[in-house]
Amino acid sequence: MWTSSLLKQNAKNNMQPYFWSAVGLLVIMGIISGAVSYMASLVPAFFLGVTVGFSNLDSAPEELDNPAVWVYYVVTILISFAITIFIASILEIGKCRYFYHARQGDSDFGNLFWAFQGGRYMPCVKVNLQRYLEIFLYSLLLIIPGYIKLLEYALVPYLLAENPNLSRERALSISKQTMYGEKMKYFLLIFSFIGWWFLGVITCYLGFLYVAPYMQATDTEFYACMRAKMLATGITTEEELTGYNNFGGFNGGYPETNPYNAQNPYQNPNPYQSQNPYQNPNPYESQSPYQNPNPYEPQSPYQNPNPYQPDSMPGINLDKTPYDTQGSDFNQPDNSSAPDSRPRVNLDKNPYDDNNPNHF
C-alpha cells in the first residue's frame, strides 16, 4: 500500500540526476502555453474592440446588456478550450512522458514534443477532447462532480504517453477503473503540497523552480504505483500499455527499428522456391563426376572414386600363377632372390626308396 510520504521520498531520490533539466522543461512549457494563450486572447479582444470601440474596451466587459460582450465571453471560452485540447494537453502528454522516462534514467528533452510527431497528434487530441468535454459537462452540475471526474481521468496523460493509439473508450476506462478507491488519497497527496505553493509565492515565485519539478516527480511516482496496480488486477496488460502487439513495437507503437523482428539467416530468402542443398549452385559449371554429391554422407572407403585410375587395393598378382611352384605365395609380392625355405621332393630318387633322405 502506497503512502504520500513514500511517494515524495522516491520523487526526491529519483529527480536528483535530472532536476535542472526538468526545471528547464517546465519553464519552456510555461512560456509556450503563456504565449499561445496571450495571442489567442487577442482575437476576442479585437472583436470586442471593433464592436464597442477600442476606447471603451476596458469598461465594455461590465456592460452585460450588450450582446457583443456575451459574444466576447463565448469566444474567449471556446478559444481557451481549443488551446487546452490542441496544445496544452499535448504538451502535458510530453511532460508526463519525460518525467516517466527520466525516473528510469532517460531524460530526453525532446519528449516534451513527442506527441506532436509521428502521427500521434490526432489520436491524442481525440482522447483529450472527450476527456475534457466530460469534465466540463460534469462541472455544469456542480463543481465537485467535475473535480471528481478530473481525478478519475488523472492517469489518461500517462497512458497516452506510453501508447497514444489507445482508443478513447479504452484510455478513459483504464484510468477510471484504476482510480477506483484511490481518488481521495490522490486528492490528499495533491493537497499536501499546499505549503510548498505558499513558499513559492513568498519567494517571489522563485520557489516554484523547486516545487513544480518536485510535485510532478511525485505525480509520476503515483502513476508508477497505479501502473503496477492495473497490471496486477488485470485491468490491462503490458502489451496494451506499450502497444507492442498491435503496432509492432514499444514506445507507443512507433519504433524506428524493431529488434524483435530480425530476419532468420537460415531461412530461404525465396519462400516460393524450395532450395535443393544437393543442386549444383552454378548451372553453367559442370559438376565433377568424382565429387561426392552429398557432403553429409561419408564416402565408402571401398569405392574407387575415379573409374579411370587403377585400383590401388592389394589383390592377386596376375604375373604369377598360383600353381607355379617356383613362385612365391600368390597373395604375396614376388621376391626371386629370397631362398625357398619349403622342402622340395627330389624327383631323381624314388620317393618310396627308404634310403632317400628327402622322403616325405
Side-chain angles (χ1 to χ4, degrees), residues 113-340:
F113 308 101
W114 175 81
F116 288 95
Q117 312 168 36
R120 308 178 185 100
Y121 180 73
M122 287 310 300
C124 292
V125 167
K126 292 178 182 179
V127 176
N128 282 316
L129 179 61
Q130 182 170 344
R131 172 194 175 198
Y132 282 104
L133 186 60
E134 290 188 16
I135 293 174
F136 174 74
L137 294 177
Y138 273 86
S139 299
L140 295 178
L141 302 175
L142 283 174
I143 298 178
I144 295 179
Y147 194 77
I148 292 177
K149 210 66 178 177
L150 181 65
L151 296 175
E152 198 171 74
Y153 293 154
L155 303 179
V156 172
Y158 289 98
L159 294 173
L160 295 178
E162 288 201 71
N163 183 8
N165 294 285
L166 284 172
S167 64
R168 290 175 293 178
E169 294 78 9
R170 190 59 184 148
L172 299 179
S173 175
I174 292 175
S175 180
K176 182 178 180 180
Q177 295 180 55
T178 307
M179 290 298 294
Y180 180 79
E182 307 286 349
K183 290 186 288 292
M184 179 56 67
K185 295 178 64 177
Y186 182 57
F187 171 76
L188 295 177
L189 175 64
I190 297 175
F191 189 77
S192 65
F193 285 93
I194 189 170
W196 288 99
W197 285 104
F198 279 121
L199 180 62
V201 173
I202 294 173
T203 58
C204 300
Y205 297 97
L206 293 177
F208 285 108
L209 295 178
Y210 176 78
V211 175
Y214 176 38
M215 186 174 180
Q216 185 61 45
T218 305
D219 193 68
T220 305
E221 294 297 323
F222 173 76
Y223 170 72
C225 183
M226 293 297 101
R227 192 181 192 275
K229 174 186 175 181
M230 64 181 70
L231 292 176
T233 55
I235 296 176
T236 184
T237 62
E238 187 72 33
E239 290 77 14
E240 184 181 23
L241 286 177
T242 57
Y244 179 70
N245 276 353
N246 296 329
F247 304 99
F250 291 101
N251 298 326
Y254 295 94
E256 296 295 333
T257 57
N258 187 359
Y260 303 98
N261 195 19
Q263 189 175 7
N264 186 357
Y266 306 104
Q267 185 179 0
N268 185 15
N270 187 354
Y272 303 102
Q273 179 181 357
S274 59
Q275 194 171 8
N276 185 359
Y278 309 109
Q279 185 180 1
N280 185 16
N282 190 352
Y284 301 101
E285 179 181 350
S286 59
Q287 194 171 10
S288 174
Y290 311 111
Q291 183 180 1
N292 185 17
N294 188 352
Y296 303 101
E297 180 180 350
Q299 192 172 8
S300 174
Y302 305 104
Q303 181 181 2
N304 185 15
N306 190 347
Y308 301 101
Q309 182 178 355
D311 199 345
S312 59
M313 293 179 60
I316 300 174
N317 189 354
L318 300 179
D319 295 335
K320 295 290 184 179
T321 174
Y323 304 101
D324 187 0
T325 57
Q326 300 297 325
S328 59
D329 187 1
F330 66 90
N331 283 328
Q332 298 295 331
D334 185 22
N335 189 357
S336 57
S337 60
D340 193 357

